């Protein structure tokens, strides 16, 4: 989450919107997951600011509703599309 001013961060909705845009764009481009480091670089913040020390269940529920989950790949957390795990993408 980008540190805008002292103790002011992105709202949950803005954060989810950014993550969704980045993840869907990467999936459309080459189908790979997006690391926290890449998201931090895109948002111009440090990777530490993306960590959720206490798992924010509201944010996780919003991510899952958008079809995005978090998994660890080679010791680095990545955002990925749920459909990516199944290697199928259903478009209605």
């Amino acid at each position: 989450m980008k540190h805008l001013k002292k103790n002011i961060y992105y709202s949950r909705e803005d954060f989810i919107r950014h993550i969704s845009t980045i993840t869907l764009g990467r999936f459309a481009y080459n189908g790979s997951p997006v690391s926290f480091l890449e998201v931090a670089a895109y948002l111009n913040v440090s990777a530490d600011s993306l960590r959720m020390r206490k798992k924010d269940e509201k944010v996780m529920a919003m991510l899952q509703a958008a079809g995005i989950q978090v998994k660890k790949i080679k010791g680095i957390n990545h955002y990925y599309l749920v459909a990516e795990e199944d290697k199928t993408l259903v478009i209605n």
Side-chain angles (χ1 to χ4, degrees), residues 8 32 41 44 58 61 63 68 74 80:
I8 298 174
S32 65
N44 197 22
K58 209 171 201 180
L63 282 171
I68 298 170
K74 295 182 183 178
Y80 72 98

Side-chain angles (χ1 to χ4, degrees), residues 1-80:
M1 291 186 231
K2 186 175 180 182
H3 196 83
L4 303 172
K5 291 183 180 178
K6 188 174 184 179
N7 298 327
I8 298 174
Y9 295 89
Y10 279 126
S11 68
R12 286 184 176 111
E13 292 79 19
D14 287 340
F15 180 71
I16 299 301
R17 190 174 308 120
H18 285 297
I19 298 302
S20 298
T21 302
I22 295 166
T23 305
L24 290 171
R26 175 60 72 85
F27 183 78
Y29 179 67
N30 65 3
S32 65
V34 182
S35 73
F36 275 31
L37 301 174
E38 292 170 320
V39 171
Y42 175 79
L43 296 176
N44 197 22
V45 297
S46 70
D48 291 337
S49 63
L50 293 178
R51 290 186 187 162
M52 290 182 255
R53 290 187 180 157
K54 296 179 183 174
K55 199 170 192 179
D56 189 343
E57 292 186 22
K58 209 171 201 180
V59 169
M60 295 305 288
M62 292 170 79
L63 282 171
Q64 288 179 354
I68 298 170
Q69 291 189 354
V70 177
K71 70 177 172 182
K72 194 169 269 202
I73 301 172
K74 295 182 183 178
I76 298 173
N77 287 324
H78 286 72
Y79 293 105
Y80 72 98

